Amino acid sequence: MIDYQKFIQRNSRRIYASGALVAAFFAASILLNGGPSGTAWIVKNAIPTGSLIIALDVSTIKVNLGTDSTHYMSAKDFIVGQFATHTLNPGDLISTSDLTKIKGASEVRYLPLGIALDDLPIALMAGDHADIYVIPKQASLGPALVVSNVSIHQIDNKSRALGGNIEIEVSVGIAAAMNLVDAESQGRLVVSRHAF
């Protein structure tokens, strides 16, 4: 009994440190496994732009979206009967910008824009949403928002590596396309990426 007490007295710091380490590992495993999760819609069969979403083309899947959960359609959202705003490929999670209730999806345009390297966020990728501003050539006019929450369809990464103007392609309606073409002729376009 005396040997046991002496062992504890001599090694008490090691015993406490080992206990704290075990408790930390236990707490970390609880936090990692207890993340937010939900159910989202996923594409099973390719859905062309403007096509009606039918039950055979989509299904639900359990996912951990974290803070991006509001950007995607959850299983609670009724998506069958809506229309695709752009081509959806098998395996794509369906986001809020992928669908419209209006059949006028044929009004969606893919507009190419030349943006200076310094006027484009470094982390901008296809699928992101952005606001586009114009800085007019005339000094008397101030910067202005041209379009809000547009979907970035493609980015020419080859031109991005070379510098200069980067070509991006945005998915917009007819009215927004007209506004962007007009703004591009009036000055310099600046892209602001949504952080969601």
Side-chain angles (χ1 to χ4, degrees):
M1 189 67 150
I2 296 171
D3 291 336
Y4 179 71
Q5 288 176 344
K6 285 182 182 179
F7 175 80
I8 291 175
Q9 287 174 349
R10 286 184 197 155
N11 298 304
S12 62
R13 289 185 181 174
R14 289 182 185 156
I15 293 170
Y16 289 133
S18 298
L21 190 61
V22 169
F25 280 128
F26 181 71
S29 69
I30 289 173
L31 290 173
L32 290 174
N33 293 329
S37 63
T39 308
W41 288 98
I42 190 168
V43 178
K44 288 193 326 190
N45 303 312
I47 304 170
T49 303
S51 295
L52 182 71
I53 307 293
I54 60 173
L56 295 175
D57 291 334
V58 293
S59 65
T60 56
I61 185 173
K62 285 200 175 259
V63 288
N64 183 354
L65 298 173
T67 57
D68 289 340
S69 59
T70 57
H71 178 64
Y72 292 95
M73 304 296 284
S74 74
K76 298 175 195 169
D77 299 318
F78 190 69
I79 68 167
V80 174
Q82 295 191 45
F83 300 91
T85 58
H86 59 91
T87 301
L88 300 172
N89 297 309
D92 289 348
L93 288 177
I94 300 177
S95 72
T96 54
S97 62
D98 293 337
L99 304 176
T100 180
K101 293 181 180 177
I102 303 165
K103 188 176 179 177
S106 60
E107 298 209 359
V108 172
R109 301 289 184 258
Y110 296 109
L111 181 68
L113 300 170
I115 310 291
L117 179 62
D118 293 340
D119 296 333
L120 195 70
I122 294 171
L124 189 72
M125 297 185 310
D128 284 347
H129 288 260
D131 296 335
I132 301 179
Y133 299 85
V134 63
I135 300 175
K137 294 172 191 170
Q138 295 180 2
S140 61
L141 299 174
L145 177 66
V146 181
V147 290
S148 180
N149 200 26
V150 296
S151 177
I152 306 298
H153 184 63
Q154 288 185 24
I155 300 175
D156 182 10
N157 286 316
K158 290 179 185 174
S159 62
R160 180 182 252 177
L162 297 172
N165 271 0
I166 315 299
E167 186 174 312
I168 67 170
E169 191 175 83
V170 294
S171 172
V172 292
I174 293 173
M178 293 297 292
N179 289 343
L180 281 167
V181 170
D182 184 47
E184 195 171 26
S185 69
Q186 309 245 341
R188 191 174 105 219
L189 296 180
V190 177
V191 178
S192 169
R193 177 177 171 263
H194 283 201
F196 51 78

